[in-house]
Amino acid sequence: MAKKFVKAVFPGSFDPITNGHIDVVKRGVKLFDELIIAVGKSGVKDELFTQAERVEMIKELVADMPEVSVQSYECLTVEYAASVGATAMLRGLRNLTDVHYEFQLAMTNRAVAGIETIFVMTSEQYGFTSSTLIREVAKLGGNVGELLPESVYEKVKQRLCENHSS
Ligand code: ADP
């Protein structure tokens, strides 16, 4: 039987992308032939980076991974996944709270679009890493350098400086 070519989408807001997300991408690359990191609207009031900025910074980070590409999308995630011919969705799990939320999301996505979700467990050291908390801690002057790729951390510091001076 011919080997199946599996294209997957890793959707999220990635505001900003963290070491936890990168960990999920590295695990995903081992499972799929092609992986698209799909950057959605953040939908939060305290957005740190625009969608275009998030796409650019992620592209830089995955430049050396030929199976990985980065795109932005505006529509429903499952519609986007279908539009690029993806048959699977990749999501990361940190804890039981994620499991509850992601389980419901995955069941809904399968019911409405027939798409399967593949979960990977994060590395232990990233179990507490969340973009939302990173934005909050960074705004209050906390050091989030350990949780972010270096280039992203530099951009976060720069953005917070710009925001303070405007
Ligand atoms: P959302 O926009 O749905 O809140 P995010 O953009 O924060 O999601 O993250 C996208 C995906 O990455 C989700 O599946 C989320 O569970 C996962 N994720 C976020 N942070 C981590 C982490 N530290 N380790 C593993 N998975 C993570």
Side-chain angles (χ1 to χ4, degrees):
M1 201 163 72
K3 183 182 174 291
K4 278 197 180 128
F5 183 94
V6 184
K7 187 193 268 195
V9 161
F10 177 31
S13 37
F14 308 106
D15 186 30
I17 189 159
T18 70
N19 287 337
H21 292 128
I22 296 290
D23 184 65
V24 172
V25 170
K26 287 185 177 158
R27 290 172 195 286
V29 162
K30 294 185 207 154
L31 300 174
F32 307 113
D33 300 293
E34 190 182 332
L35 181 64
I36 304 175
I37 303 177
V39 182
K41 289 213 161 98
S42 83
V44 296
K45 268 190 257 153
D46 68 338
E47 184 179 77
L48 201 52
F49 297 103
T50 66
Q51 201 173 2
E53 287 171 331
R54 283 178 269 135
V55 168
E56 278 317 303
M57 87 181 68
I58 301 170
K59 274 187 178 166
E60 271 175 41
L61 292 170
V62 299
D64 61 348
M65 296 184 190
E67 317 85 339
V68 181
S69 59
V70 189
Q71 293 185 3
S72 62
Y73 72 102
E74 310 291 330
C75 58
L76 203 61
T77 304
V78 288
E79 277 172 15
Y80 165 76
S83 76
V84 294
T87 47
M89 211 125 81
L90 173 67
R91 298 286 284 178
L93 294 175
R94 287 163 288 194
N95 48 44
L96 284 180
T97 311
D98 275 355
V99 172
H100 282 223
Y101 171 70
E102 295 286 344
F103 185 82
Q104 208 172 10
L105 193 62
M107 294 289 268
T108 308
N109 287 338
R110 196 172 61 187
V112 301
I115 193 159
E116 296 292 344
T117 305
I118 312 296
F119 296 104
V120 297
M121 296 296 302
T122 190
S123 300
E124 301 80 56
Q125 74 261 40
Y126 303 131
F128 296 97
T129 304
S130 105
S131 299
T132 308
L133 277 178
I134 286 177
R135 286 199 304 276
E136 285 171 13
V137 172
K139 278 178 191 167
L140 295 171
N143 185 344
V144 290
E146 292 295 306
L147 310 175
L148 299 172
E150 206 177 318
S151 61
V152 175
Y153 183 44
E154 289 308 315
K155 290 189 176 81
V156 168
K157 286 192 288 187
Q158 201 182 334
R159 177 53 45 91
L160 291 172
C161 269
E162 290 162 11
N163 290 353
H164 276 304
S165 55
S166 64

